Amino acid sequence: MRSAAPRRPAPHRRKGERRASGEMDGAGREELDMEVMKPLIDEQNSDGISDEEHENNFLPVEKHYQLDNEEGITFIQTLTHLLKGNIGTGLLGLPLAIKNAGIVIGPISLVFIGVISVHCMHILVRCSHCLCQRMKKSSLGYSDTVSYAMEVGPLTALQKRASWGRCIVDFFLVITQLGFCSVYVVFLAENVKQVHEGFLENKTAPINVSAASSSSEKRSTDLRIYMLCFLPFLILLVFIRDLKSLSLLSLLANLSMAVSLVIIYQYIVRDIADPRQLPPVVGWKKYPLFFGTAIFAFEGIGVVLPLENRMKDTTRFPQALNIGMGIVMTLYISLATLGYLRFGDEIKGSITLNLPQDKWLYQSVKILYSFGIFVTYSIQYYVPAEILIPAVTSKVEQKWKLLCELVARALLVCST
């Protein structure tokens, strides 16, 4: 019989092989796990980068996004829109606001409110720049700026509710801007009604004074009829969707309002009362009335970011803002003070109501200023349209987007 060949002591080898294969499998699993975990680790590492390192990776503020194509608006166009967005119906009511504050405390308060408003506008623009760089965005609106600011803020409670901030800001912006537009519609209707009825009275006066008074009472038309007459023109105006296309109209509106303000100034500077005859400070019970009118007059903060986002060279926007608001504050303080000095306690809600009603030069002020307010409607309307219309058109097919947008714009005008 053949002797059985001794078997090789393989257990140690198998054990070593198993250990080696186990190590190889473990290494393979570790590599696989590392590949799976790598995105998470990278995300954690990116979150752990200090603010200093983040800032080094960002573009400097001077190189903030720019619109080099032809779609952006120029410096002059931005300044024109900025003036148009701030000079509105609130300017005409400021003399009454000074009456509710006093000839001394009123102008000082206007300067104080104006400086704070401009400072807040600059803070808003700088925050938008920093968040654009941090979030790698080309531009941010009001709601986006608030939402991202809450997300990167130190408070966990605000970080979790960043979407709430977006919705709240959008809601109040829409309500505020549509409210301005509603005031403009009422202003347009009232002024055109006064001019129209004044023309009818002057036309029928030579025939018979008594007959004229009775006919004017019969011809007195409801204010809502005048509003309806403006409706188709306002709808056609808001169909202009680009701020660049509104530049010429905005320039013409600024010129018409400038002419009307010159006529107002030349009338009120003729007979200015002694300031010592007017109270320097009125009781604090009436000061809230002054504050409300003054805050309403500074109605252009809603168009600051939309204008900055549409500007070709955004590095010049702070300069445009300073120049524009400097002109606005000069007009506010001078017209408010001189208007109160001229008419005293007889000053009315709008200084145009204190002008002579029987002379066409002063009646033309209402027409010229109304044209300016008509164009201002489209500037103030731009903000709620940019918030609401994209949300509506995103739910329809591409071929229906334009029609859907035009219908939405018309319905928004009808709501004012």
Side-chain angles (χ1 to χ4, degrees):
M1 291 179 64
R2 292 176 63 184
S3 59
R7 295 182 179 179
R8 294 179 181 179
H12 294 291
R13 196 168 179 180
R14 287 196 192 98
K15 189 176 180 180
E17 288 175 357
R18 286 195 298 268
R19 185 182 298 114
S21 64
E23 290 176 356
M24 291 176 63
D25 293 343
R29 282 193 298 270
E30 288 179 1
E31 290 178 3
L32 182 62
D33 291 342
M34 287 299 293
E35 289 180 0
V36 174
M37 294 296 293
K38 188 176 180 181
L40 298 176
I41 294 172
D42 291 342
E43 187 177 350
Q44 290 176 357
N45 290 338
S46 65
D47 291 342
I49 294 176
S50 64
D51 291 339
E52 247 176 60
E53 294 172 353
H54 265 304
E55 289 176 1
N56 292 334
N57 294 330
F58 293 152
L59 296 171
V61 175
E62 290 80 4
K63 294 183 180 179
H64 180 59
Y65 68 94
Q66 295 182 5
L67 296 172
D68 294 327
N69 54 19
E70 296 181 357
E71 294 181 358
I73 57 178
T74 63
F75 178 86
I76 298 298
Q77 290 171 339
T78 303
L79 183 61
T80 302
H81 287 314
L82 195 61
L83 290 173
K84 198 73 239 57
N86 280 276
I87 301 175
T89 58
L91 172 63
L92 302 179
L94 285 177
L96 180 62
I98 297 294
K99 174 186 174 182
N100 292 323
I103 193 61
V104 174
I105 196 66
I108 294 175
S109 299
L110 274 180
V111 173
F112 185 69
I113 293 173
V115 170
I116 292 179
S117 298
V118 176
H119 178 64
C120 291
M121 291 177 185
H122 280 290
I123 291 177
L124 185 64
V125 172
R126 286 199 296 268
C127 288
S128 176
H129 284 195
C130 293
L131 290 170
C132 279
Q133 295 172 359
R134 187 164 186 173
M135 298 299 174
K136 308 299 183 184
K137 301 288 185 180
S138 62
S139 64
L140 293 175
Y142 282 97
S143 58
D144 293 328
T145 301
V146 172
S147 178
Y148 287 129
M150 292 174 69
E151 284 183 9
V152 302
L155 298 179
T156 307
L158 293 181
Q159 292 175 359
K160 294 179 179 179
R161 295 169 176 82
S163 60
W164 291 16
R166 182 192 303 271
C167 295
I168 291 173
V169 170
D170 280 343
F171 174 77
F172 283 111
L173 266 178
V174 170
I175 294 298
T176 302
Q177 298 302 120
L178 290 181
F180 288 149
C181 292
S182 301
V183 173
Y184 293 163
V185 174
V186 175
F187 179 85
L188 289 171
E190 284 185 342
N191 279 270
V192 172
K193 179 182 179 180
Q194 290 176 6
V195 173
H196 180 242
E197 292 182 351
F199 172 76
L200 293 178
E201 288 179 4
N202 292 333
K203 188 177 181 181
T204 56
I207 301 173
N208 192 334
V209 177
S210 60
S213 61
S214 60
S215 61
S216 63
E217 290 177 1
K218 293 179 182 179
R219 289 194 185 99
S220 182
T221 310
D222 193 338
L223 190 64
R224 290 171 289 186
I225 301 298
Y226 290 92
M227 294 181 186
L228 287 176
C229 293
F230 274 106
L231 183 60
F233 299 101
L234 291 172
I235 291 176
L236 291 175
L237 180 66
V238 301
F239 280 173
I240 303 175
R241 297 174 292 166
D242 190 11
L243 286 175
K244 187 178 179 65
S245 304
L246 286 171
S247 299
L248 179 59
L249 274 177
S250 188
L251 178 62
L252 293 176
N254 282 337
L255 291 176
S256 67
M257 295 179 77
V259 172
S260 65
L261 289 175
V262 168
I263 297 174
I264 293 174
Y265 273 106
Q266 65 87 22
Y267 181 78
I268 62 178
V269 297
R270 291 180 180 178
D271 186 15
I272 296 179
D274 187 355
R276 292 173 294 183
Q277 298 177 359
L278 301 173
V281 179
V282 181
W284 292 105
K285 292 182 179 179
K286 289 189 175 181
Y287 192 81
L289 297 175
F290 160 82
F291 188 77
T293 307
I295 291 297
F296 174 75
F298 287 92
E299 57 195 57
I301 192 169
V303 301
V304 170
L305 281 186
L307 289 176
E308 198 262 351
N309 289 339
R310 294 299 303 147
M311 195 174 180
K312 281 184 180 179
D313 185 5
T314 56
T315 58
R316 299 190 66 191
F317 184 78
Q319 181 184 0
L321 186 60
N322 289 332
I323 295 174
M325 293 308 297
I327 296 173
V328 169
M329 288 179 60
T330 302
L331 284 175
Y332 282 6
I333 296 168
S334 60
L335 184 65
T337 306
L338 292 175
Y340 182 48
L341 286 173
R342 172 65 175 84
F343 299 109
D345 292 335
E346 296 179 359
I347 189 68
K348 297 180 180 179
S350 175
I351 195 172
T352 55
L353 299 177
N354 289 96
L355 299 177
Q357 303 297 319
D358 55 346
K359 295 183 179 180
W360 276 105
L361 175 63
Y362 301 111
Q363 288 283 42
S364 65
V365 170
K366 298 177 182 179
I367 301 297
L368 292 171
Y369 209 89
S370 294
F371 175 72
I373 295 300
F374 176 75
V375 179
T376 307
Y377 183 98
S378 62
I379 306 296
Q380 299 290 354
Y381 179 89
Y382 183 83
V383 178
E386 286 294 297
I387 295 173
L388 296 177
I389 291 178
V392 175
T393 56
S394 62
K395 298 179 181 180
V396 299
E397 297 180 5
Q398 183 66 34
K399 62 179 181 179
W400 300 109
K401 280 187 180 294
L402 180 59
L403 178 61
C404 182
E405 179 177 349
L406 296 180
V407 171
R409 287 177 175 271
L411 292 177
L412 272 180
V413 174
C414 294
S415 68
T416 61

